[in-house]
Amino acid sequence: MTLSAGGPADSPGFLLWHATLRWQRQITAALAPLGLTHVQFVLLACAWWLGRRGDQPNQQRLARQAGVDVRMASQVIRTLEGKGLLERQVDPADTRARRLRLTPAGVTLAARAVSVVEQVDGGVFGEAAQDLLSALSRMPATSGAGRHAPEVADGTAAARPPRPAAPPRNMCRA
């Protein structure tokens, strides 16, 4: 089957692009009254989730969990710290590293923001949510440097199918 034969409606990437744009607009609008950008929410929520598991992540671990660049995470973490939502504490095992911990205000806002985002997800994805979740979890991991599978509730990395063999060097890469 040629995906492009029927036009954009037959392209999963094109449809995912449009669904992502729609979802991001709604998330942005829902988080604005809470004073959070989308990336601030993601890092705050990941720190909250890891903290609920008893983990006090460092910046690199939080960035990996959130799937964002460490440098960008650093800037956003500074912003969250400035808002009084997160604290950095010296790691006793490595004084160069800083452990991240949500403040009580950060915990409260994270829980509230997660609830808001879950409502948006329910509205955007509706009955297709479970099918979409299943399909996305079966997708191969990205080949981008520094990208890792996010952890699931039990602390293990999310299951990913094995990566396909590398394409021949002369192939164009998008």
Side-chain angles (χ1 to χ4, degrees), residues 45-46 48-55 61 64-66 133 136-138 148-160:
C46 285
W48 177 64
W49 180 78
L50 290 167
R52 288 180 59 192
R53 289 186 26 222
D55 191 357
R61 175 118 173 4
R64 184 174 55 240
Q65 177 66 29
L133 185 60
L136 292 172
S137 68
R138 289 190 312 269
H148 302 278
E151 293 182 11
V152 292
D154 67 0
T156 61
R160 299 274 193 222

Side-chain angles (χ1 to χ4, degrees), residues 9-32:
D10 291 334
S11 168
F14 187 78
L15 294 175
L16 182 59
W17 170 252
H18 279 272
T20 300
L21 291 174
R22 225 176 12 259
W23 173 75
Q24 286 178 333
R25 280 192 299 271
Q26 290 187 32
I27 292 291
T28 298
L31 291 173

